Amino acid sequence: MRISFLLICALFFFSGFNSNILDEVRTNYGKFASDKEMCERMITELSKTKNNSATHLAYLGALQTIWAKHVFSPISKLNTFKKGKTNIETAIGKEPGNVELRFIRLSVQKNAPSFLGYNSNIKDDADFIKKNKHQIKSEIVQKNIEMLLNN
């Protein structure tokens, strides 16, 4: 009985912990490009957690693509960007109908330099998001989507 109670408490604690990380990433999403320390800290936190959700992976990928802006070496920039891109695409492969994942990819593709060639889904993702944004429950994500679509 006592062990069951402790296991249930641990489950609630760890699921809340992962949720808090995603909430922090969602809240600060627009700041990572200009705040190197915050970006690095969130990549570390997302990498440490054992959450295998597509949303978690997509945000990690997005932060990795943003991190490419903060590193110095051109080779490191490209490798970091590719790693992030792969994580985003893997997440969308898991849940192609997830509006938040499509928002993440759209935000990266709209802001990625064109020479990287990561811009082929901009129109499709924007149309998909406009049609399905009512599915988003988070006010923070809705606000981020509106800012992106109006930009």
Side-chain angles (χ1 to χ4, degrees), residues 3 35 59 68 72 86 92 98-99 102 117 119 124 141 143:
I3 293 173
D35 192 330
Y59 276 114
F72 182 72
T86 298
I92 291 174
N98 185 319
V99 181
R102 302 285 284 271
N119 55 10
D124 289 341
V141 176
K143 181 179 153 188

Side-chain angles (χ1 to χ4, degrees), residues 24-43:
E24 187 174 353
V25 171
R26 288 173 176 133
T27 300
N28 295 301
Y29 192 64
K31 300 175 186 173
F32 294 120
S34 60
D35 192 330
K36 180 180 179 177
E37 288 78 24
M38 185 187 301
C39 185
E40 183 176 32
R41 183 173 56 83
M42 286 290 88
I43 289 172

Side-chain angles (χ1 to χ4, degrees), residues 23-34 38 58-59 61-63 65-66 88 103-108 111 140 144 148:
D23 287 344
E24 187 174 353
V25 171
R26 288 173 176 133
T27 300
N28 295 301
Y29 192 64
K31 300 175 186 173
F32 294 120
S34 60
M38 185 187 301
Y59 276 114
L63 291 177
T65 63
I66 293 167
I88 293 168
F103 154 73
I104 293 167
R105 180 170 66 185
L106 178 62
S107 69
V108 170
N111 291 292
I140 296 166
N144 289 343
L148 181 66

Side-chain angles (χ1 to χ4, degrees), residues 1 11 15 21 31 35 39 51 59 62 65 80 89 92 100-101 108 115 129 135 139:
M1 174 86 168
L11 274 173
S15 66
I21 291 170
K31 300 175 186 173
D35 192 330
C39 185
N51 188 333
Y59 276 114
T65 63
T80 302
E89 293 302 324
I92 291 174
E100 188 170 8
L101 304 185
V108 170
F115 68 85
I129 292 166
Q135 295 176 14
E139 287 183 33

Side-chain angles (χ1 to χ4, degrees), residues 108-150:
V108 170
Q109 288 190 356
K110 280 184 81 169
N111 291 292
S114 60
F115 68 85
L116 291 172
Y118 191 48
N119 55 10
S120 61
N121 303 101
I122 291 175
K123 182 173 178 2
D124 289 341
D125 284 348
D127 291 343
F128 180 84
I129 292 166
K130 287 174 188 173
K131 190 163 78 170
N132 296 289
K133 66 183 176 181
H134 65 277
Q135 295 176 14
I136 297 290
K137 307 266 188 274
S138 167
E139 287 183 33
I140 296 166
V141 176
Q142 283 185 358
K143 181 179 153 188
N144 289 343
I145 286 172
E146 287 304 317
M147 286 175 32
L148 181 66
L149 292 177
N150 293 329

Side-chain angles (χ1 to χ4, degrees), residues 35-75:
D35 192 330
K36 180 180 179 177
E37 288 78 24
M38 185 187 301
C39 185
E40 183 176 32
R41 183 173 56 83
M42 286 290 88
I43 289 172
T44 301
E45 290 297 319
L46 287 169
S47 298
K48 283 193 312 191
T49 62
K50 301 297 182 211
N51 188 333
N52 292 326
S53 76
T55 305
H56 179 97
L57 184 60
Y59 276 114
L60 175 61
L63 291 177
Q64 289 166 327
T65 63
I66 293 167
W67 183 249
K69 177 180 179 175
H70 297 299
V71 296
F72 182 72
S73 161
I75 293 171

Side-chain angles (χ1 to χ4, degrees), residues 1-14:
M1 174 86 168
R2 190 176 230 200
I3 293 173
S4 298
F5 177 74
L6 290 175
L7 287 173
I8 290 171
C9 289
L11 274 173
F12 281 117
F13 173 76
F14 287 116

